[in-house]
Amino acid sequence: MYKLGLIGYPIQHSLSPWIHERLLQKAQLQGEYRLFEITPEDDFEQKVMELKEKELDGFNVTVPYKEKIIPFLDELDDIAKEMQAVNTVVRVDERWIGYNTDGIGYVRSLESAYPTFFEQLDRKVMILGAGGASRGIYYALTKFGVTQIDIANRTKEKAEDIAKLGKDKSKTNIFTIEEASKVLKEYDLIIQTTSMGMKSVDLKPIVQLKQLKSGAIMSDIVYQPIKTQILQDAERLGARILLGHTMLLYQAQYAFEIWTGKRPEVIEMEHELLAVLEGR
Ligand code: ATR
């Protein structure tokens, strides 16, 4: 009987219980995935101590606690150490070990939709945005051996900071968003990681697309709306697209694998999750 859960705030509308209960079913494992909301008014340390007593096998961590949880962990895996952000904790022999599954989750979602993409590692990739998600994706792509990964961000310094992760492995040019919009037609894969385009933020895409390279893939990690404006625009220009909810599924798949050692196939869940999102 696996005891799993999520800490964060607010988390009442989280899709994680649905995803992990489905993964438990698919892996034919008994278990539960519960929400442990910690509000900003709560005493975080005390709440974490209460969580320790619950003896969960593992839990996810979401905003605003991905960094704040770190002092309470006994060990960090290499990726979480580089990210200084944890979204998955596993209990092993009463010790808590922190992981960050976002980057690998993204790479898995890309591989699942476009299995041949990584056959050529000299593809040109552009990441729009330089927040936590961008950092995780950049690091996973450099580890995978992608040789050129450029980053565009409103605040260039944040992009420069991420590029330090790729030294010796990947070549990286830094752009402002305006500069990037003029060169987007040179890229094989463009990954939109900012909050622009999100239903709750601003439906306007971060860049207006004019032309894309033939065969290019446009990917957006925003999944509400399901098909953001930038993805619709890219499709009209003939690009292939990668929907944001797939990253959500594959980062969960990797977390589930860390907890249980099992890696259920999630391709059918992509359609099921779309139906859940459409019903919201
Ligand atoms: P996450 O952890 O989900 O990646 P984040 O760390 O808050 O979120 O990062 C948000 C990203 O969206 C950043 O790249 C941010 O740009 P800045 O680094 O310049 O702040 C970008 N972003 C948010 N709102 C934006 C806007 N209106 N225009 C341009 N970029 C925006």
Side-chain angles (χ1 to χ4, degrees):
M1 172 81 187
Y2 278 94
K3 283 162 72 179
L4 307 170
L6 169 68
I7 64 167
Y9 181 82
I11 51 175
Q12 289 315 318
H13 298 291
S14 168
L15 292 160
S16 293
W18 181 86
I19 295 174
H20 285 289
E21 275 157 21
R22 231 13 227 102
L23 289 171
L24 283 164
Q25 272 175 9
K26 285 174 82 72
Q28 296 186 302
L29 294 172
Q30 296 292 319
E32 59 177 22
Y33 186 100
R34 292 175 52 199
L35 297 177
F36 301 98
E37 190 160 80
I38 303 178
T39 71
E41 290 75 39
D42 285 331
D43 177 339
F44 185 71
E45 182 168 353
Q46 190 197 328
K47 288 284 171 186
V48 171
M49 293 310 141
E50 286 171 22
L51 201 65
K52 275 230 153 106
E53 281 162 25
K54 294 189 198 309
E55 305 221 303
L56 300 181
D57 298 289
F59 60 96
N60 286 128
V61 183
T62 188
V63 270
Y65 304 125
K66 289 182 179 188
E67 289 105 36
K68 210 170 171 184
I69 192 70
I70 292 176
F72 301 93
L73 305 178
D74 299 292
E75 193 182 326
L76 286 183
D77 101 311
D78 290 347
I79 298 177
K81 218 178 275 170
E82 286 286 358
M83 299 297 107
Q84 279 301 303
V86 162
N87 76 343
T88 300
V89 175
V90 63
R91 183 168 60 93
V92 181
D93 301 331
E94 301 310 314
R95 298 172 76 247
W96 275 1
I97 308 173
Y99 288 80
N100 191 314
T101 67
D102 281 341
I104 289 179
Y106 179 77
V107 167
R108 285 187 183 180
S109 73
L110 180 63
E111 265 188 311
S112 161
Y114 301 108
T116 59
F117 183 79
F118 288 108
E119 282 175 8
Q120 271 174 269
L121 290 169
D122 60 346
R123 311 244 199 208
K124 277 184 82 169
V125 178
M126 169 74 86
I127 304 180
L128 303 173
S134 164
R135 195 176 182 81
I137 292 170
Y138 178 89
Y139 191 58
L141 290 173
T142 62
K143 283 215 136 187
F144 221 85
V146 177
T147 51
Q148 180 158 4
I149 314 165
D150 295 344
I151 310 171
N153 198 44
R154 180 174 61 179
T155 320
K156 263 189 170 179
E157 294 74 31
K158 280 165 86 182
E160 278 157 7
D161 192 47
I162 292 180
K164 289 182 194 147
L165 293 168
K167 62 173 181 334
D168 313 328
K169 293 192 212 94
S170 307
K171 190 169 158 295
T172 298
N173 299 308
I174 308 293
F175 297 99
T176 61
I177 301 291
E178 293 70 31
E179 288 163 351
S181 56
K182 296 188 189 115
V183 292
L184 282 180
K185 59 180 178 298
E186 295 168 16
Y187 289 83
D188 300 294
L189 169 65
I190 300 161
I191 310 166
Q192 197 306 111
T193 71
T194 76
S195 36
M196 296 292 287
M198 206 182 275
K199 201 150 65 176
S200 58
V201 178
D202 190 342
L203 286 170
K204 209 163 69 250
I206 188 135
V207 285
Q208 302 291 330
L209 302 178
K210 296 198 183 67
Q211 200 187 337
L212 289 171
K213 187 170 172 176
S214 152
I217 301 169
M218 172 63 75
S219 162
D220 195 340
I221 68 162
V222 171
Y223 56 86
Q224 278 181 314
I226 292 164
K227 198 186 278 181
T228 57
Q229 190 62 49
I230 200 169
L231 292 179
Q232 293 179 37
D233 295 347
E235 250 184 350
R236 259 199 306 277
L237 291 169
R240 300 178 289 169
I241 63 166
L242 180 62
L243 297 174
H245 75 290
T246 59
M247 172 174 169
L248 183 69
L249 274 180
Y250 284 91
Q251 63 78 26
Q253 182 202 48
Y254 180 36
F256 188 84
E257 196 177 335
I258 291 166
W259 297 328
T260 68
K262 296 222 155 65
R263 181 175 172 169
E265 192 50 73
V266 296
I267 283 192
E268 306 123 59
M269 282 175 66
E270 291 181 19
H271 302 287
E272 294 169 7
L273 181 56
L274 276 185
V276 172
L277 286 168
E278 270 157 11
R280 290 179 134 208

